[in-house]
Amino acid sequence: MMIKENFLHYLWQNKLFPTHNLQSTDGETVEIIDIGRRNSDAGADFFNAKIKIGGEMWAGCVEIHLKSSDWLRHKHQHDEAYHSVILHVVQEADTDIFRPTGEKIPQLVLPISQEMLEKYETLLDKKEKIRCAEDFSEIPDIFIHSWLNTLLLERLQRKTEHIAALLEHNRNDWEEAFYAVLLRNFGFGLNSEPFERLAHSLPQAYLQKHKNSLLQIEAMFFGQAGLLPEEESDEYAEKLKREYAFLKSKFGLQPLENAGWKLLRLRPVNFPHVRMAQFSALVHQSSKLFSKIIEKPDYDYICKLFSAEPSEYWETHYTFRHASPPRSKNLGKTAIDTLIINTIVPFLFFYGQRNGNEALQENTLKLLEKIPPEHNHIIEEWAEIGIKAKSAFDTQALIELHKNYCERKDCLRCRIGHKVLTRK
Ligand code: SF4
């Protein structure tokens, strides 16, 4: 198996190589005092390193490559950012390298122990997505939980980047940004894009002006979405059409063109019409929704808010076409949980972070602990190797681990991978 450069980085960063009797390619003694700090920006791989070479103390950067000639291939000899490199660490020294002053840069062929090499190959060579499956039983629970905590924070941090951009776009209007993300997530994957376009075409300020009339809220949503029937329809649809005509001209609204609503392969309860009716009820029954949630980030309270009752018409309809047997169209518990996980939690967490409100951040994490574990193929894979999630807190962390580490074969950045590689 070919070693990858990130393995050399990993070994250097964790000092996982024999450090005694090191010699440069020119035969000088190399004593590592400080490996330096990982640089995630442009420039050499590690900075602030301290290394004694030939008995003389050097302070500066360390660059790592598989081969010495990679230095030339990457044109570092012409790049000022690499002029302070004091040691070039490689797996194979196939050429000498020089500073622009003509001075030779010391090189070290990193010694890799056979044991470490075998562990690396065994872990990375496996075909399964969760390559460390066999090792999991030997890793203490407390260690796994601490890693899951970190992963959850990483996941939230990533999600909040999108919110930050949206917030800037909305001139720091939290309610408007929350409305846009929440409405997008009412598309539950398949219809997320048209719902997002709908949010952009219909500012919530217009909805707020008519929040006391559920009929008018629905008229704006269905009209903007292009879902009102064109042909003569039942009385309720006709009423919505009349209301929409009035509101469209009042606000100068431009309905979506080719919105791309998807109904195929969806269960009728997930049809966009039903979701729109549920969202309309939510707008009708609670204004300043995000502020309300900030004031009381309590699971039962949020569930109650989101259980708003859609208009009577939807009790017997899934679309405008045909009547159906009566059935409540309130948002179900699983749907509410999904909205809490994907919208409310990232928003609350980010709001807490922006405002230095640690209590809110903690409460947000507790909210996840109240939600039962999600069900999907990733969580099933973890369950198969004995990792049973207790709540959405665990499932979100396990999804993060799977998607951003296991699927990318990034075991060297994973704490479990580190544990497996360094276990005696
Ligand atoms: S990334 Fe971590 S959890 Fe995933 S397979 Fe590698 S070592 Fe295991």
Side-chain angles (χ1 to χ4, degrees):
M1 180 189 181
M2 284 265 294
I3 281 182
K4 293 217 171 106
E5 199 173 284
N6 68 345
F7 183 48
L8 298 185
H9 285 223
Y10 168 77
L11 294 176
W12 180 264
Q13 184 162 17
N14 296 288
K15 246 184 163 179
L16 290 173
F17 53 92
T19 50
H20 52 274
N21 297 334
L22 291 177
Q23 282 198 342
S24 73
T25 50
D26 280 345
E28 290 185 301
T29 57
V30 174
E31 195 185 333
I32 297 158
I33 311 299
D34 187 338
I35 53 120
R37 292 195 32 220
R38 189 89 171 86
N39 176 22
S40 45
D41 296 323
D45 296 322
F46 290 82
F47 60 93
N48 280 351
K50 286 197 187 76
I51 297 168
K52 254 189 193 171
I53 303 170
E56 193 180 338
M57 180 68 96
W58 290 79
C61 298
V62 171
E63 177 67 3
I64 299 178
H65 284 127
L66 286 174
K67 291 181 176 183
S68 310
S69 52
D70 291 339
W71 177 274
L72 305 173
R73 211 162 48 83
H74 296 162
K75 303 198 178 356
H76 292 334
Q77 70 274 28
H78 306 304
D79 189 339
E80 254 184 47
Y82 293 85
H83 290 180
S84 57
V85 167
I86 55 170
L87 185 68
H88 191 211
V89 175
V90 295
Q91 191 202 0
E92 183 190 336
D94 58 349
T95 187
D96 290 334
I97 57 163
F98 299 88
R99 295 199 178 88
T101 51
E103 228 177 327
K104 205 175 188 184
I105 300 176
Q107 300 198 83
L108 171 73
V109 175
L110 196 69
I112 306 174
S113 74
Q114 193 55 31
E115 188 195 356
M116 180 54 78
L117 200 59
E118 276 166 17
K119 281 183 184 170
Y120 169 74
E121 287 176 349
T122 313
L123 181 62
L124 272 293
D125 249 2
K126 291 211 173 109
K127 296 278 170 290
E128 299 84 7
K129 277 219 184 84
I130 306 174
R131 283 169 293 281
C132 59
E134 286 167 18
D135 306 278
F136 247 101
S137 58
E138 290 172 39
I139 297 173
D141 276 358
I142 190 161
F143 182 89
I144 295 173
H145 285 293
S146 142
W147 180 216
L148 291 184
N149 274 342
T150 307
L151 286 162
L152 182 76
L153 295 178
E154 267 183 31
R155 185 165 183 79
L156 286 176
Q157 204 58 49
R158 219 159 21 76
K159 286 189 177 181
T160 58
E161 279 162 24
H162 169 64
I163 299 175
L166 196 64
L167 203 55
E168 204 180 316
H169 179 75
N170 285 303
R171 293 182 293 281
N172 275 335
D173 185 335
W174 285 90
E175 289 291 345
E176 194 69 46
F178 182 70
Y179 157 75
V181 175
L182 185 62
L183 187 52
R184 180 193 155 82
N185 289 341
F186 258 70
F188 292 93
L190 207 57
N191 279 308
S192 296
E193 266 185 43
F195 267 111
E196 184 172 357
R197 288 181 59 204
L198 182 61
H200 291 314
S201 83
L202 183 59
Q204 68 142 8
Y206 297 171
L207 294 162
Q208 286 304 318
K209 283 203 170 109
H210 292 269
K211 80 166 286 287
N212 292 330
S213 164
L214 183 52
L215 182 80
Q216 289 183 316
I217 295 170
E218 281 193 14
M220 279 194 265
F221 275 127
F222 286 109
Q224 281 303 93
L227 288 177
L228 288 173
E230 280 171 17
E231 68 283 6
E232 178 95 7
S233 190
D234 60 35
E235 198 189 326
Y236 188 70
E238 290 306 309
K239 259 196 205 172
L240 288 175
K241 278 154 80 174
R242 282 195 296 278
E243 283 301 331
Y244 178 60
F246 160 70
L247 294 161
K248 184 180 175 212
S249 117
K250 176 177 173 180
F251 293 118
L253 296 172
Q254 287 301 320
L256 298 187
E257 277 176 28
N258 306 319
W261 297 107
K262 295 183 187 76
L263 278 77
L264 269 180
R265 293 195 306 278
L266 273 184
R267 285 169 54 223
V269 281
N270 297 329
F271 280 178
H273 305 69
V274 176
R275 296 300 183 207
M276 228 165 274
Q278 290 162 340
F279 199 89
S280 300
L282 189 59
V283 173
H284 178 51
Q285 289 177 30
S286 23
S287 51
K288 305 259 177 222
L289 188 58
F290 185 54
S291 307
K292 279 196 173 124
I293 297 171
I294 296 170
E295 271 168 36
K296 200 172 173 187
D298 172 78
Y299 179 66
D300 294 335
Y301 174 69
I302 296 170
C303 288
K304 212 166 144 213
L305 279 179
F306 277 69
S307 306
E309 182 100 33
S311 63
E312 207 184 327
Y313 179 82
W314 297 105
E315 225 178 279
T316 52
H317 287 81
Y318 290 102
T319 66
F320 287 106
R321 269 197 214 128
H322 313 287
S324 53
R327 178 179 169 171
S328 162
K329 299 294 181 338
N330 287 31
L331 261 178
K333 194 177 167 313
T334 311
I336 296 177
D337 286 347
T338 307
L339 292 168
I340 296 177
I341 293 169
N342 293 328
T343 316
I344 295 176
V345 164
F347 257 90
L348 283 178
F349 188 78
F350 186 48
Y351 185 87
Q353 211 173 41
R354 269 270 169 107
N355 294 287
N357 187 341
E358 283 179 20
L360 182 61
Q361 284 175 268
E362 270 172 37
N363 280 335
T364 306
L365 301 183
K366 281 189 194 141
L367 206 52
L368 280 176
E369 284 171 353
K370 287 263 174 86
I371 301 174
E374 298 152 87
H375 297 286
N376 54 47
H377 74 278
I378 293 180
I379 300 308
E380 276 166 26
E381 271 187 55
W382 287 113
E384 275 165 24
I385 65 159
I387 305 296
K388 299 255 182 344
K390 290 193 191 74
S391 68
F393 185 107
D394 292 343
T395 49
Q396 283 291 292
L398 288 169
I399 291 169
E400 181 70 13
L401 178 55
H402 202 278
K403 285 194 170 164
N404 280 324
Y405 291 80
C406 310
E407 285 175 25
R408 295 178 180 186
K409 278 192 154 199
D410 216 348
C411 302
L412 297 178
R413 263 196 331 117
C414 169
R415 285 195 203 159
I416 295 177
H418 182 63
K419 198 85 177 160
V420 172
L421 290 172
T422 53
R423 207 177 37 194
K424 291 288 169 219

